[in-house]
mmCIF file of all heavy atoms in Angstrom:
data_model
loop_
_atom_site.group_PDB
_atom_site.id
_atom_site.type_symbol
_atom_site.label_atom_id
_atom_site.label_comp_id
_atom_site.label_asym_id
_atom_site.label_seq_id
_atom_site.Cartn_x
_atom_site.Cartn_y
_atom_site.Cartn_z
ATOM 1 N N LYS G 1 -23.822 -16.328 -1.249
ATOM 2 C CA LYS G 1 -22.334 -16.223 -0.901
ATOM 3 C C LYS G 1 -21.511 -15.821 -2.103
ATOM 4 O O LYS G 1 -20.464 -15.157 -1.959
ATOM 5 C CB LYS G 1 -21.874 -17.599 -0.386
ATOM 6 C CG LYS G 1 -22.324 -17.924 1.029
ATOM 7 C CD LYS G 1 -21.732 -19.242 1.504
ATOM 8 C CE LYS G 1 -20.226 -19.276 1.442
ATOM 9 N NZ LYS G 1 -19.661 -20.505 1.977
ATOM 10 N N ASN G 2 -21.948 -16.163 -3.252
ATOM 11 C CA ASN G 2 -21.153 -15.886 -4.535
ATOM 12 C C ASN G 2 -21.706 -14.798 -5.387
ATOM 13 O O ASN G 2 -21.370 -14.588 -6.558
ATOM 14 C CB ASN G 2 -20.947 -17.151 -5.372
ATOM 15 C CG ASN G 2 -20.075 -18.140 -4.653
ATOM 16 O OD1 ASN G 2 -19.033 -17.748 -4.165
ATOM 17 N ND2 ASN G 2 -20.416 -19.434 -4.722
ATOM 18 N N SER G 3 -22.669 -14.015 -4.840
ATOM 19 C CA SER G 3 -23.298 -12.959 -5.603
ATOM 20 C C SER G 3 -23.394 -11.666 -4.768
ATOM 21 O O SER G 3 -24.333 -10.919 -4.854
ATOM 22 C CB SER G 3 -24.662 -13.325 -6.119
ATOM 23 O OG SER G 3 -25.533 -13.642 -4.980
ATOM 24 N N THR G 4 -22.310 -11.427 -4.016
ATOM 25 C CA THR G 4 -22.212 -10.252 -3.154
ATOM 26 C C THR G 4 -21.162 -9.282 -3.722
ATOM 27 O O THR G 4 -20.046 -9.615 -3.928
ATOM 28 C CB THR G 4 -21.877 -10.661 -1.733
ATOM 29 O OG1 THR G 4 -22.789 -11.591 -1.265
ATOM 30 C CG2 THR G 4 -21.878 -9.431 -0.801
ATOM 31 N N LEU G 5 -21.645 -8.037 -3.918
ATOM 32 C CA LEU G 5 -20.704 -6.980 -4.467
ATOM 33 C C LEU G 5 -20.397 -6.016 -3.332
ATOM 34 O O LEU G 5 -21.303 -5.497 -2.656
ATOM 35 C CB LEU G 5 -21.462 -6.278 -5.614
ATOM 36 C CG LEU G 5 -20.632 -5.288 -6.454
ATOM 37 C CD1 LEU G 5 -19.562 -6.075 -7.212
ATOM 38 C CD2 LEU G 5 -21.543 -4.577 -7.504
ATOM 39 N N ILE G 6 -19.112 -5.703 -3.173
ATOM 40 C CA ILE G 6 -18.691 -4.766 -2.144
ATOM 41 C C ILE G 6 -18.277 -3.495 -2.840
ATOM 42 O O ILE G 6 -17.507 -3.513 -3.810
ATOM 43 C CB ILE G 6 -17.505 -5.283 -1.330
ATOM 44 C CG1 ILE G 6 -17.741 -6.752 -0.907
ATOM 45 C CG2 ILE G 6 -17.197 -4.385 -0.139
ATOM 46 C CD1 ILE G 6 -18.851 -6.953 0.045
ATOM 47 N N LEU G 7 -18.786 -2.309 -2.365
ATOM 48 C CA LEU G 7 -18.429 -1.055 -2.918
ATOM 49 C C LEU G 7 -17.738 -0.226 -1.798
ATOM 50 O O LEU G 7 -18.298 0.000 -0.771
ATOM 51 C CB LEU G 7 -19.636 -0.283 -3.412
ATOM 52 C CG LEU G 7 -20.271 -0.814 -4.747
ATOM 53 C CD1 LEU G 7 -21.277 -1.891 -4.422
ATOM 54 C CD2 LEU G 7 -20.878 0.350 -5.505
ATOM 55 N N VAL G 8 -16.480 0.201 -2.076
ATOM 56 C CA VAL G 8 -15.679 0.960 -1.138
ATOM 57 C C VAL G 8 -15.553 2.359 -1.645
ATOM 58 O O VAL G 8 -14.792 2.635 -2.621
ATOM 59 C CB VAL G 8 -14.282 0.318 -0.934
ATOM 60 C CG1 VAL G 8 -13.515 1.055 0.113
ATOM 61 C CG2 VAL G 8 -14.459 -1.198 -0.540
ATOM 62 N N ASP G 9 -16.252 3.274 -1.049
ATOM 63 C CA ASP G 9 -16.336 4.628 -1.589
ATOM 64 C C ASP G 9 -16.642 4.645 -3.087
ATOM 65 O O ASP G 9 -16.019 5.450 -3.882
ATOM 66 C CB ASP G 9 -14.966 5.362 -1.325
ATOM 67 C CG ASP G 9 -14.859 5.810 0.082
ATOM 68 O OD1 ASP G 9 -15.900 5.973 0.795
ATOM 69 O OD2 ASP G 9 -13.677 5.968 0.612
ATOM 70 N N GLY G 10 -17.517 3.735 -3.519
ATOM 71 C CA GLY G 10 -17.937 3.711 -4.878
ATOM 72 C C GLY G 10 -17.162 2.740 -5.791
ATOM 73 O O GLY G 10 -17.632 2.455 -6.888
ATOM 74 N N ASP G 11 -16.009 2.298 -5.368
ATOM 75 C CA ASP G 11 -15.186 1.351 -6.156
ATOM 76 C C ASP G 11 -15.681 -0.062 -5.901
ATOM 77 O O ASP G 11 -15.828 -0.456 -4.748
ATOM 78 C CB ASP G 11 -13.732 1.493 -5.836
ATOM 79 C CG ASP G 11 -13.100 2.740 -6.323
ATOM 80 O OD1 ASP G 11 -13.718 3.426 -7.179
ATOM 81 O OD2 ASP G 11 -12.002 3.145 -5.830
ATOM 82 N N GLU G 12 -15.992 -0.794 -6.950
ATOM 83 C CA GLU G 12 -16.540 -2.144 -6.821
ATOM 84 C C GLU G 12 -15.540 -3.224 -6.650
ATOM 85 O O GLU G 12 -14.428 -3.182 -7.230
ATOM 86 C CB GLU G 12 -17.394 -2.430 -8.071
ATOM 87 C CG GLU G 12 -18.620 -1.533 -8.231
ATOM 88 C CD GLU G 12 -19.473 -1.970 -9.436
ATOM 89 O OE1 GLU G 12 -19.103 -2.861 -10.133
ATOM 90 O OE2 GLU G 12 -20.540 -1.332 -9.639
ATOM 91 N N LEU G 13 -15.916 -4.227 -5.859
ATOM 92 C CA LEU G 13 -15.060 -5.376 -5.627
ATOM 93 C C LEU G 13 -15.988 -6.563 -5.482
ATOM 94 O O LEU G 13 -16.903 -6.622 -4.627
ATOM 95 C CB LEU G 13 -14.206 -5.191 -4.346
ATOM 96 C CG LEU G 13 -13.278 -6.387 -3.890
ATOM 97 C CD1 LEU G 13 -12.218 -6.557 -4.980
ATOM 98 C CD2 LEU G 13 -12.706 -6.105 -2.514
ATOM 99 N N LEU G 14 -15.741 -7.625 -6.320
ATOM 100 C CA LEU G 14 -16.543 -8.841 -6.251
ATOM 101 C C LEU G 14 -15.687 -9.924 -5.586
ATOM 102 O O LEU G 14 -14.655 -10.313 -6.131
ATOM 103 C CB LEU G 14 -16.998 -9.264 -7.651
ATOM 104 C CG LEU G 14 -17.796 -10.587 -7.689
ATOM 105 C CD1 LEU G 14 -19.131 -10.462 -6.920
ATOM 106 C CD2 LEU G 14 -18.088 -10.902 -9.192
ATOM 107 N N LEU G 15 -16.161 -10.476 -4.506
ATOM 108 C CA LEU G 15 -15.464 -11.558 -3.762
ATOM 109 C C LEU G 15 -16.362 -12.735 -3.795
ATOM 110 O O LEU G 15 -17.600 -12.649 -3.611
ATOM 111 C CB LEU G 15 -15.110 -11.112 -2.369
ATOM 112 C CG LEU G 15 -14.158 -9.969 -2.189
ATOM 113 C CD1 LEU G 15 -13.947 -9.567 -0.720
ATOM 114 C CD2 LEU G 15 -12.788 -10.291 -2.823
ATOM 115 N N LYS G 16 -15.730 -13.895 -3.903
ATOM 116 C CA LYS G 16 -16.489 -15.187 -3.894
ATOM 117 C C LYS G 16 -16.467 -15.846 -2.551
ATOM 118 O O LYS G 16 -15.574 -15.604 -1.704
ATOM 119 C CB LYS G 16 -15.817 -16.142 -4.909
ATOM 120 C CG LYS G 16 -15.829 -15.644 -6.377
ATOM 121 C CD LYS G 16 -17.197 -15.642 -6.929
ATOM 122 C CE LYS G 16 -17.165 -15.319 -8.420
ATOM 123 N NZ LYS G 16 -18.557 -15.343 -9.009
ATOM 124 N N ASN G 17 -17.478 -16.650 -2.293
ATOM 125 C CA ASN G 17 -17.582 -17.500 -1.079
ATOM 126 C C ASN G 17 -17.453 -16.664 0.207
ATOM 127 O O ASN G 17 -16.741 -17.008 1.110
ATOM 128 C CB ASN G 17 -16.464 -18.536 -1.079
ATOM 129 C CG ASN G 17 -16.574 -19.459 -2.302
ATOM 130 O OD1 ASN G 17 -17.608 -19.993 -2.593
ATOM 131 N ND2 ASN G 17 -15.452 -19.630 -3.053
ATOM 132 N N ILE G 18 -18.246 -15.579 0.276
ATOM 133 C CA ILE G 18 -18.251 -14.761 1.504
ATOM 134 C C ILE G 18 -19.094 -15.445 2.566
ATOM 135 O O ILE G 18 -20.305 -15.730 2.349
ATOM 136 C CB ILE G 18 -18.778 -13.365 1.138
ATOM 137 C CG1 ILE G 18 -17.854 -12.605 0.234
ATOM 138 C CG2 ILE G 18 -18.976 -12.582 2.463
ATOM 139 C CD1 ILE G 18 -18.340 -11.243 -0.171
ATOM 140 N N ASN G 19 -18.539 -15.580 3.756
ATOM 141 C CA ASN G 19 -19.195 -16.174 4.869
ATOM 142 C C ASN G 19 -19.824 -15.042 5.785
ATOM 143 O O ASN G 19 -20.947 -15.191 6.303
ATOM 144 C CB ASN G 19 -18.295 -17.013 5.724
ATOM 145 C CG ASN G 19 -17.869 -18.305 4.946
ATOM 146 O OD1 ASN G 19 -18.651 -18.961 4.241
ATOM 147 N ND2 ASN G 19 -16.578 -18.554 4.950
ATOM 148 N N SER G 20 -19.080 -13.992 5.983
ATOM 149 C CA SER G 20 -19.558 -12.879 6.780
ATOM 150 C C SER G 20 -18.766 -11.662 6.551
ATOM 151 O O SER G 20 -17.639 -11.701 6.052
ATOM 152 C CB SER G 20 -19.545 -13.226 8.295
ATOM 153 O OG SER G 20 -18.210 -13.421 8.730
ATOM 154 N N ILE G 21 -19.365 -10.506 6.918
ATOM 155 C CA ILE G 21 -18.685 -9.198 6.800
ATOM 156 C C ILE G 21 -18.860 -8.456 8.109
ATOM 157 O O ILE G 21 -19.999 -8.307 8.587
ATOM 158 C CB ILE G 21 -19.287 -8.372 5.639
ATOM 159 C CG1 ILE G 21 -19.251 -9.092 4.308
ATOM 160 C CG2 ILE G 21 -18.550 -7.008 5.517
ATOM 161 C CD1 ILE G 21 -20.118 -8.534 3.235
ATOM 162 N N LYS G 22 -17.778 -8.058 8.741
ATOM 163 C CA LYS G 22 -17.868 -7.280 9.978
ATOM 164 C C LYS G 22 -17.441 -5.852 9.723
ATOM 165 O O LYS G 22 -16.299 -5.665 9.201
ATOM 166 C CB LYS G 22 -17.000 -7.900 11.060
ATOM 167 C CG LYS G 22 -17.507 -9.294 11.492
ATOM 168 C CD LYS G 22 -16.710 -9.816 12.703
ATOM 169 C CE LYS G 22 -17.214 -11.107 13.234
ATOM 170 N NZ LYS G 22 -16.449 -11.671 14.357
ATOM 171 N N LEU G 23 -18.301 -4.884 10.103
ATOM 172 C CA LEU G 23 -17.986 -3.505 9.837
ATOM 173 C C LEU G 23 -17.950 -2.750 11.194
ATOM 174 O O LEU G 23 -18.770 -2.901 12.049
ATOM 175 C CB LEU G 23 -19.026 -2.890 8.929
ATOM 176 C CG LEU G 23 -19.173 -3.581 7.602
ATOM 177 C CD1 LEU G 23 -20.516 -4.243 7.373
ATOM 178 C CD2 LEU G 23 -18.965 -2.509 6.460
ATOM 179 N N SER G 24 -16.956 -1.899 11.264
ATOM 180 C CA SER G 24 -16.691 -1.075 12.462
ATOM 181 C C SER G 24 -15.797 0.111 12.079
ATOM 182 O O SER G 24 -15.355 0.226 10.985
ATOM 183 C CB SER G 24 -16.039 -1.921 13.544
ATOM 184 O OG SER G 24 -14.743 -2.391 13.094
ATOM 185 N N PHE G 25 -15.618 0.972 13.102
ATOM 186 C CA PHE G 25 -14.599 2.036 12.853
ATOM 187 C C PHE G 25 -13.230 1.464 12.701
ATOM 188 O O PHE G 25 -12.878 0.493 13.399
ATOM 189 C CB PHE G 25 -14.676 3.033 13.968
ATOM 190 C CG PHE G 25 -15.673 4.118 13.820
ATOM 191 C CD1 PHE G 25 -16.655 4.350 14.768
ATOM 192 C CD2 PHE G 25 -15.699 4.930 12.690
ATOM 193 C CE1 PHE G 25 -17.637 5.347 14.648
ATOM 194 C CE2 PHE G 25 -16.633 5.918 12.497
ATOM 195 C CZ PHE G 25 -17.600 6.094 13.497
ATOM 196 N N SER G 26 -12.416 1.992 11.819
ATOM 197 C CA SER G 26 -11.084 1.613 11.608
ATOM 198 C C SER G 26 -10.161 2.267 12.654
ATOM 199 O O SER G 26 -10.479 3.297 13.242
ATOM 200 C CB SER G 26 -10.632 2.008 10.173
ATOM 201 O OG SER G 26 -9.250 1.806 10.050
ATOM 202 N N ASN G 27 -8.999 1.637 12.888
ATOM 203 C CA ASN G 27 -7.978 2.240 13.682
ATOM 204 C C ASN G 27 -7.277 3.377 12.919
ATOM 205 O O ASN G 27 -6.617 4.229 13.546
ATOM 206 C CB ASN G 27 -6.923 1.265 14.119
ATOM 207 C CG ASN G 27 -7.457 0.215 15.133
ATOM 208 O OD1 ASN G 27 -8.309 0.597 15.926
ATOM 209 N ND2 ASN G 27 -7.018 -1.005 15.078
ATOM 210 N N LYS G 28 -7.418 3.393 11.611
ATOM 211 C CA LYS G 28 -6.836 4.457 10.781
ATOM 212 C C LYS G 28 -7.730 5.715 10.838
ATOM 213 O O LYS G 28 -8.917 5.592 10.944
ATOM 214 C CB LYS G 28 -6.674 4.023 9.338
ATOM 215 C CG LYS G 28 -5.729 2.841 9.103
ATOM 216 C CD LYS G 28 -5.750 2.444 7.646
ATOM 217 C CE LYS G 28 -4.818 1.241 7.437
ATOM 218 N NZ LYS G 28 -4.848 0.813 5.981
ATOM 219 N N ILE G 29 -7.091 6.863 10.722
ATOM 220 C CA ILE G 29 -7.802 8.102 10.671
ATOM 221 C C ILE G 29 -7.131 8.999 9.571
ATOM 222 O O ILE G 29 -6.000 8.675 9.181
ATOM 223 C CB ILE G 29 -7.859 8.853 12.031
ATOM 224 C CG1 ILE G 29 -6.410 9.191 12.473
ATOM 225 C CG2 ILE G 29 -8.583 8.099 13.093
ATOM 226 C CD1 ILE G 29 -6.322 10.152 13.613
ATOM 227 N N ILE G 30 -7.798 9.970 9.223
ATOM 228 C CA ILE G 30 -7.151 11.042 8.445
ATOM 229 C C ILE G 30 -7.491 12.377 9.062
ATOM 230 O O ILE G 30 -8.442 12.513 9.807
ATOM 231 C CB ILE G 30 -7.586 11.055 6.956
ATOM 232 C CG1 ILE G 30 -9.068 11.109 6.772
ATOM 233 C CG2 ILE G 30 -7.036 9.900 6.241
ATOM 234 C CD1 ILE G 30 -9.538 11.283 5.365
ATOM 235 N N ASN G 31 -6.612 13.378 8.828
ATOM 236 C CA ASN G 31 -6.742 14.707 9.484
ATOM 237 C C ASN G 31 -6.985 15.706 8.359
ATOM 238 O O ASN G 31 -6.352 15.642 7.240
ATOM 239 C CB ASN G 31 -5.411 15.083 10.253
ATOM 240 C CG ASN G 31 -5.250 14.140 11.417
ATOM 241 O OD1 ASN G 31 -6.058 14.027 12.286
ATOM 242 N ND2 ASN G 31 -4.052 13.495 11.452
ATOM 243 N N ARG G 32 -7.846 16.661 8.608
ATOM 244 C CA ARG G 32 -8.210 17.650 7.665
ATOM 245 C C ARG G 32 -8.144 19.054 8.325
ATOM 246 O O ARG G 32 -8.644 19.225 9.437
ATOM 247 C CB ARG G 32 -9.546 17.413 7.147
ATOM 248 C CG ARG G 32 -10.081 18.386 6.082
ATOM 249 C CD ARG G 32 -11.363 17.985 5.453
ATOM 250 N NE ARG G 32 -12.411 17.819 6.476
ATOM 251 C CZ ARG G 32 -13.708 17.907 6.230
ATOM 252 N NH1 ARG G 32 -14.134 18.170 4.981
ATOM 253 N NH2 ARG G 32 -14.571 17.702 7.168
ATOM 254 N N ILE G 33 -7.536 19.955 7.672
ATOM 255 C CA ILE G 33 -7.408 21.356 8.236
ATOM 256 C C ILE G 33 -8.681 22.087 7.913
ATOM 257 O O ILE G 33 -9.219 22.041 6.814
ATOM 258 C CB ILE G 33 -6.208 22.071 7.585
ATOM 259 C CG1 ILE G 33 -4.863 21.547 8.251
ATOM 260 C CG2 ILE G 33 -6.308 23.594 7.756
ATOM 261 C CD1 ILE G 33 -3.672 22.169 7.656
ATOM 262 N N ILE G 34 -9.217 22.744 8.929
ATOM 263 C CA ILE G 34 -10.500 23.516 8.815
ATOM 264 C C ILE G 34 -10.196 24.997 9.177
ATOM 265 O O ILE G 34 -9.544 25.282 10.166
ATOM 266 C CB ILE G 34 -11.518 22.953 9.834
ATOM 267 C CG1 ILE G 34 -11.780 21.440 9.529
ATOM 268 C CG2 ILE G 34 -12.809 23.795 9.778
ATOM 269 C CD1 ILE G 34 -12.388 21.238 8.228
ATOM 270 N N PHE G 35 -10.657 25.878 8.340
ATOM 271 C CA PHE G 35 -10.512 27.315 8.589
ATOM 272 C C PHE G 35 -11.764 27.996 9.086
ATOM 273 O O PHE G 35 -11.754 29.079 9.574
ATOM 274 C CB PHE G 35 -10.013 28.008 7.250
ATOM 275 C CG PHE G 35 -8.587 27.643 6.850
ATOM 276 C CD1 PHE G 35 -8.381 26.608 6.037
ATOM 277 C CD2 PHE G 35 -7.521 28.330 7.435
ATOM 278 C CE1 PHE G 35 -7.060 26.237 5.687
ATOM 279 C CE2 PHE G 35 -6.239 27.987 7.074
ATOM 280 C CZ PHE G 35 -6.031 26.978 6.235
ATOM 281 N N ASN G 36 -12.920 27.281 8.882
ATOM 282 C CA ASN G 36 -14.189 27.891 9.345
ATOM 283 C C ASN G 36 -15.124 26.801 9.770
ATOM 284 O O ASN G 36 -15.605 26.032 8.936
ATOM 285 C CB ASN G 36 -14.800 28.666 8.143
ATOM 286 C CG ASN G 36 -16.062 29.401 8.554
ATOM 287 O OD1 ASN G 36 -16.530 29.249 9.670
ATOM 288 N ND2 ASN G 36 -16.625 30.122 7.608
ATOM 289 N N LYS G 37 -15.349 26.653 11.061
ATOM 290 C CA LYS G 37 -16.155 25.545 11.650
ATOM 291 C C LYS G 37 -17.555 25.681 11.110
ATOM 292 O O LYS G 37 -18.259 24.676 10.937
ATOM 293 C CB LYS G 37 -16.157 25.603 13.161
ATOM 294 C CG LYS G 37 -14.877 25.130 13.807
ATOM 295 C CD LYS G 37 -14.820 23.584 13.729
ATOM 296 C CE LYS G 37 -13.613 23.111 14.532
ATOM 297 N NZ LYS G 37 -13.546 21.650 14.516
ATOM 298 N N SER G 38 -18.067 26.899 10.870
ATOM 299 C CA SER G 38 -19.458 27.028 10.431
ATOM 300 C C SER G 38 -19.603 26.699 8.886
ATOM 301 O O SER G 38 -20.682 26.653 8.368
ATOM 302 C CB SER G 38 -19.937 28.476 10.636
ATOM 303 O OG SER G 38 -19.228 29.373 9.894
ATOM 304 N N ARG G 39 -18.455 26.461 8.223
ATOM 305 C CA ARG G 39 -18.487 26.161 6.823
ATOM 306 C C ARG G 39 -19.280 24.858 6.550
ATOM 307 O O ARG G 39 -19.824 24.733 5.496
ATOM 308 C CB ARG G 39 -17.091 26.041 6.266
ATOM 309 C CG ARG G 39 -16.986 25.745 4.729
ATOM 310 C CD ARG G 39 -17.419 26.967 3.891
ATOM 311 N NE ARG G 39 -16.597 28.069 4.001
ATOM 312 C CZ ARG G 39 -15.572 28.309 3.108
ATOM 313 N NH1 ARG G 39 -15.350 27.491 2.141
ATOM 314 N NH2 ARG G 39 -14.825 29.421 3.286
ATOM 315 N N TYR G 40 -19.330 23.962 7.488
ATOM 316 C CA TYR G 40 -20.069 22.754 7.337
ATOM 317 C C TYR G 40 -21.504 22.993 7.043
ATOM 318 O O TYR G 40 -22.130 22.444 6.141
ATOM 319 C CB TYR G 40 -19.936 21.800 8.581
ATOM 320 C CG TYR G 40 -20.741 20.581 8.500
ATOM 321 C CD1 TYR G 40 -20.279 19.456 7.852
ATOM 322 C CD2 TYR G 40 -22.028 20.510 9.108
ATOM 323 C CE1 TYR G 40 -21.035 18.249 7.713
ATOM 324 C CE2 TYR G 40 -22.822 19.332 9.020
ATOM 325 C CZ TYR G 40 -22.321 18.231 8.360
ATOM 326 O OH TYR G 40 -23.065 17.112 8.246
ATOM 327 N N TRP G 41 -22.128 23.895 7.873
ATOM 328 C CA TRP G 41 -23.579 24.191 7.703
ATOM 329 C C TRP G 41 -23.775 24.995 6.418
ATOM 330 O O TRP G 41 -24.833 24.849 5.764
ATOM 331 C CB TRP G 41 -24.089 24.832 8.937
ATOM 332 C CG TRP G 41 -23.862 24.036 10.180
ATOM 333 C CD1 TRP G 41 -23.017 24.352 11.160
ATOM 334 C CD2 TRP G 41 -24.514 22.869 10.500
ATOM 335 N NE1 TRP G 41 -23.068 23.325 12.148
ATOM 336 C CE2 TRP G 41 -24.003 22.417 11.731
ATOM 337 C CE3 TRP G 41 -25.474 22.076 9.867
ATOM 338 C CZ2 TRP G 41 -24.433 21.231 12.375
ATOM 339 C CZ3 TRP G 41 -25.903 20.931 10.498
ATOM 340 C CH2 TRP G 41 -25.365 20.500 11.709
ATOM 341 N N GLU G 42 -22.831 25.840 6.097
ATOM 342 C CA GLU G 42 -22.940 26.599 4.837
ATOM 343 C C GLU G 42 -22.894 25.649 3.637
ATOM 344 O O GLU G 42 -23.650 25.800 2.676
ATOM 345 C CB GLU G 42 -21.808 27.628 4.789
ATOM 346 C CG GLU G 42 -21.864 28.732 5.812
ATOM 347 C CD GLU G 42 -20.597 29.562 5.835
ATOM 348 O OE1 GLU G 42 -19.705 29.369 4.943
ATOM 349 O OE2 GLU G 42 -20.449 30.393 6.741
ATOM 350 N N HIS G 43 -22.001 24.681 3.698
ATOM 351 C CA HIS G 43 -21.870 23.672 2.630
ATOM 352 C C HIS G 43 -23.138 22.865 2.548
ATOM 353 O O HIS G 43 -23.676 22.615 1.464
ATOM 354 C CB HIS G 43 -20.673 22.714 2.952
ATOM 355 C CG HIS G 43 -19.401 23.123 2.314
ATOM 356 N ND1 HIS G 43 -19.003 24.433 2.285
ATOM 357 C CD2 HIS G 43 -18.426 22.391 1.747
ATOM 358 C CE1 HIS G 43 -17.801 24.523 1.686
ATOM 359 N NE2 HIS G 43 -17.530 23.247 1.320
ATOM 360 N N LEU G 44 -23.684 22.428 3.699
ATOM 361 C CA LEU G 44 -24.898 21.603 3.707
ATOM 362 C C LEU G 44 -26.020 22.396 2.991
ATOM 363 O O LEU G 44 -26.765 21.740 2.199
ATOM 364 C CB LEU G 44 -25.215 21.227 5.156
ATOM 365 C CG LEU G 44 -26.334 20.130 5.343
ATOM 366 C CD1 LEU G 44 -25.796 18.822 4.756
ATOM 367 C CD2 LEU G 44 -26.684 20.018 6.816
ATOM 368 N N LYS G 45 -26.166 23.638 3.402
ATOM 369 C CA LYS G 45 -27.293 24.387 2.790
ATOM 370 C C LYS G 45 -27.004 24.706 1.325
ATOM 371 O O LYS G 45 -27.828 24.541 0.455
ATOM 372 C CB LYS G 45 -27.472 25.691 3.599
ATOM 373 C CG LYS G 45 -28.579 26.602 3.020
ATOM 374 C CD LYS G 45 -28.722 27.858 3.836
ATOM 375 C CE LYS G 45 -29.791 28.720 3.288
ATOM 376 N NZ LYS G 45 -30.003 29.988 4.077
ATOM 377 N N GLY G 46 -25.766 25.118 1.059
ATOM 378 C CA GLY G 46 -25.419 25.574 -0.355
ATOM 379 C C GLY G 46 -25.363 24.424 -1.348
ATOM 380 O O GLY G 46 -25.728 24.601 -2.494
ATOM 381 N N LYS G 47 -25.032 23.230 -0.839
ATOM 382 C CA LYS G 47 -24.894 22.075 -1.792
ATOM 383 C C LYS G 47 -26.155 21.296 -1.996
ATOM 384 O O LYS G 47 -26.380 20.692 -3.049
ATOM 385 C CB LYS G 47 -23.792 21.153 -1.346
ATOM 386 C CG LYS G 47 -22.454 21.714 -1.096
ATOM 387 C CD LYS G 47 -21.842 22.298 -2.351
ATOM 388 C CE LYS G 47 -20.459 22.814 -2.075
ATOM 389 N NZ LYS G 47 -19.782 23.442 -3.280
ATOM 390 N N PHE G 48 -27.035 21.294 -0.942
ATOM 391 C CA PHE G 48 -28.176 20.357 -1.026
ATOM 392 C C PHE G 48 -29.585 21.059 -0.945
ATOM 393 O O PHE G 48 -30.599 20.409 -1.172
ATOM 394 C CB PHE G 48 -28.076 19.388 0.142
ATOM 395 C CG PHE G 48 -26.841 18.482 0.035
ATOM 396 C CD1 PHE G 48 -25.862 18.540 0.986
ATOM 397 C CD2 PHE G 48 -26.713 17.621 -0.998
ATOM 398 C CE1 PHE G 48 -24.752 17.717 0.903
ATOM 399 C CE2 PHE G 48 -25.612 16.800 -1.103
ATOM 400 C CZ PHE G 48 -24.628 16.844 -0.134
#
């Protein structure tokens, strides 16, 4: 309970006395403008 480290997009947070953690989709969203739908696959191939 006292040795659990939470990382949020890589940023570390140490909380004490954790009983449970519930994870789900958030009600918050962000929007991103896309100019080329096929760019995802190009990125995936090109980057990895």
Side-chain angles (χ1 to χ4, degrees):
K1 283 181 62 175
N2 289 318
S3 58
T4 303
L5 191 65
I6 314 295
L7 289 86
V8 183
D9 285 336
D11 290 342
E12 295 184 356
L13 178 66
L14 178 61
L15 296 175
K16 298 290 186 180
N17 301 310
I18 293 178
N19 294 316
S20 65
I21 304 167
K22 292 185 177 181
L23 298 116
S24 61
F25 274 122
S26 171
N27 290 328
K28 297 177 181 178
I29 60 167
I30 54 175
N31 296 302
R32 182 174 55 157
I33 285 180
I34 301 294
F35 291 93
N36 183 357
K37 285 284 187 180
S38 65
R39 182 68 69 93
Y40 176 82
W41 302 109
E42 294 171 6
H43 267 40
L44 191 64
K45 180 179 179 180
K47 304 296 183 181
F48 298 115

